Amino acid sequence: MKQDLSRRSFLLGTTTLGAAALAAGALSLTPKAYASDDAGDEAAAEGAGSITATYDCDFVVCGSGTAGLCAANRAAELGAKVILVDVNTENGVGGNSRYVENIGNVAMGTDNALENVGAADHYYDGLASYHRYASNAIVTRRYADDGEKVRAWTTDVQGITYNAKGKYDHGENGESGGMVAIMKMYELAQDQGVEFLFDARAYQLLTTDDGAVAGVLCKTRTGDIIQVNAKAVDLCTGGFAANKEMFEHYTNVPYDCVIPRGSMGTQRGDGITMGLEQNALLHHPEAVNYCSWILPGHYNKSALTVCGVNQADEIFLNQDGRRFCDESVIKDWTLSGNIGSQQQHVFAIIDQAFVDKIMTEGVVTRRANYFEPGEPVPSFQEEIDKAIVRDNPRVFKADTIEELGEMLGIDPAALKAEVDKYNGYCDDGYDHDFLKDPELLRKMNTPPYYGFRCLLAFYGTVGGLKVDEYARVIRNDFKPIPGLYAGGSDAGALFGPYYDVSCAPGSTQLWARVSGYWAAEHAVNEYIPTL
Ligand SMILES: Cc1cc2nc3c(=O)[nH]c(=O)nc-3n(C[C@H](O)[C@H](O)[C@H](O)COP(=O)(O)OP(=O)(O)OC[C@H]3O[C@@H](n4cnc5c(N)ncnc54)[C@H](O)[C@@H]3O)c2cc1C
C-alpha cells in the first residue's frame, strides 16, 4: 500500500536499542526506524541506547496540544492514571493549539439547505455534503452528535469560556484565548494528578506479542530513553506541518512554496510515523488547512497582505505569468488553498490607481476583522514604499509591466500579453477565462505598477491516521489496533482531501477536543474496566 512504501523515505536513522529490548521484558522492542527531520535529534538518537527511566500508567498521551490535554483531562476525570509526554519543555506546553482563536460551533457555520432540523443534524448534513463523502460519515455523525456535549464539558469541567461565535475568551491580562484554554487544561490536569514528562519525544510504540500497543519509548534531547508502559496510547503529536519530506510526499506541494503558520515547529509527523509502523491506514493525508497566500512577515492583519495580495479586484498570476482562477477565490481559504497549491508561485499585481482606490475607498474583500470593505486604508502607500526601501524581496515597483515581469522573474512578454488580455476583459465587462464578477474587473493600466511574490500560508495538516468513531487507529486489515488511539491533527476521518473552514469554522479545534475525549472514554472503558 502507498504508506507502506512511502514511509521508508521518512525514516532517516535507526536507534540501537539492545538494552531497551532487554529491559522491556515481554514487550516487543524490535529496533525500529526513527523518523526525524532534525539532524540534532538524530545525533542524539544515535548516541542513545539505554533506558534511563521506566514509568507505568493506564493511559499515555503523546502531545500536550488540545487533543492531548482533552484526552488526559477526560481519562483522569474517569479515574485513570495518566502520563502525558511532550517533546517540548514545559514553556512550550500546548503546541500549536496556543494560537487557536475559535473552538468551532455545532450550531452555526454550515451552509446546507436543511430547515427545521436540530443543530446536530444540520451540522452533520453540512459537513457530509461539503466533503462529498470523502470524509468518514460515521465519524462525522458522532462528531456532530457529541460536539455540543464536548463544548459544554470544555466549560463545565475544564473551565474554558468562549463567546457566541465560538471565540475563546481572552485572559484578564490580555493573554490570547488559545493560550488561556491551554493553561486551564494544563492546570486541571496537574490538579487531577496527570504526570507530565516534558522534553520527551515519543518515537516508538511498544507492543505485546499479540500486537496490542502497550506503551511508548521517548527520547530526551540529551539522548536518554524513557519507557512508558500503559494499557493504551493516544497519539496527539499535531500532524506533520514541520516535516518537509512528509509534507512534499503527501501533498505533492514543494515546501518552499508554502509557509506554515504557528511557530512551535514540533509537528514533525512522529505520531503518524509511529502509527504507520503498526501498519495503520491513512485517511486523506494530503489535506492541509491552507489560509490563503500572504507576504511573509505580513500576515492576514497587515495592509500589505490584505490590501496588496488578498483582493478579488486585482490580478493573480502564476510562474508563467498566467491568471489561474477567478480572483474571488481569495475570499475562501479552502478555494484559494486548492488552486494556489497547484502553482509553483503566486504573484499579485496592482497599479497606482488600485493603490489610490484602497487609500480612499478601502478594500472590496474582507479578511478577518481587520479591514472592513469601504473603509479607507490611508497607510497603504506608505507600507508599500517602506517595503521597497527596505529591499523586501517580495515587493516590487516598476514603470512598465515588462519591467515588473523582469523583477518578478516572469517572462516579460508573457506577462504583458496576459495583463493586456485582462484589460480587454475589463473593457468587455466579461471575464472570458474565469467568469469573474464584472463588478470586480478593474483595469491595470496606470503606472507605476506593483508586484508581490506571495507564499501560500497554512495552519497545519488535517489528514492523518485513519480513525473510527472512538478515535481508534485502524490497521490495514480495517480492524482497530488494540490499545492505539489518535487525536487532533494526527487523526484523519473528519475531512476529505481538503479543509472545510468556510463551511464549519473551528472544526480542527473541535475535532481535537472531540477526538481526545473519545479516545479517553473508549480506552478507560475497554482497557481499564475496573474503574
Ligand atoms: C496560528 C494558528 C491558528 C489556528 N487557529 C485555529 C482556530 O482558530 N480554529 C481551529 O479550529 N484551528 C486553528 N488552528 C489549527 C490547530 O492547530 C488545531 O485546531 C488544533 O489546535 C491542533 O491540536 P493538536 O492537539 O492536534 O496539535 P498541537 O496543538 O500542535 O499539539 C501537538 C503537540 O504534540 C507535541 N509533539 C510533537 N511531536 C511529539 C512527539 N514525538 N512526542 C511528544 N510530543 C510531541 C508538540 O510539541 C505539541 O505540543 C490554528 C493553527 C495555528 C498554527
Side-chain angles (χ1 to χ4, degrees), residues 110 159 195 216 313 451 471 505:
T110 56
E195 196 163 349
V216 68
D313 56 347

Side-chain angles (χ1 to χ4, degrees), residues 418-430 432 443:
E418 191 73 354
V419 173
D420 285 348
K421 187 170 75 166
Y422 180 80
N423 285 339
Y425 294 171
C426 296
D427 286 336
D428 293 349
Y430 192 78
H432 298 274
K443 273 175 111 163

Side-chain angles (χ1 to χ4, degrees), residues 212-230:
V213 171
V216 68
L217 289 181
C218 308
K219 177 176 58 67
T220 68
R221 275 166 225 198
T222 51
D224 291 339
I225 293 182
I226 298 168
Q227 176 172 335
V228 184
N229 302 319

Side-chain angles (χ1 to χ4, degrees), residues 66-67 86-87 96-97 101-102 202 261 266-267 270 489 506 508-509:
T66 302
D86 198 291
V87 62
N96 274 353
S97 299
E101 291 182 6
N102 194 330
R261 296 198 55 187
T266 49
Q267 288 67 13
D270 291 347
S489 302
T508 6
Q509 179 61 188

Side-chain angles (χ1 to χ4, degrees), residues 9 40 100 153 168 183-184 267 279-280 320 325 344 349 368 386 395 439 453 483 493 495 497-498 502 504:
S9 63
V100 163
W153 174 80
Y168 287 123
M183 292 319 291
K184 295 238 177 193
Q267 288 67 13
N279 297 317
D320 302 320
C325 63
Q344 184 186 17
I349 289 189
K386 259 196 274 174
V395 182
E439 296 278 311
R453 185 199 293 264
F495 308 107
Y498 40 79
S502 58

Side-chain angles (χ1 to χ4, degrees), residues 34 61-69 85-88 92-104 182 200-203 218 236-239 260-264 266-271 274 289 458-460 487-490 499 505-510 512:
Y34 176 66
V61 179
C62 304
S64 70
T66 302
L69 284 169
V85 301
D86 198 291
V87 62
N88 259 322
V93 66
N96 274 353
S97 299
R98 294 164 152 237
Y99 308 117
V100 163
E101 291 182 6
N102 194 330
I103 188 179
I182 287 296
R201 183 175 180 181
Y203 70 95
C218 308
C236 303
T237 66
R261 296 198 55 187
S263 55
M264 299 313 290
T266 49
Q267 288 67 13
R268 289 178 285 205
D270 291 347
M274 284 188 276
N289 186 346
F458 71 103
Y459 282 126
S489 302
D490 278 356
Y499 186 50
S507 56
T508 6
Q509 179 61 188
L510 191 56

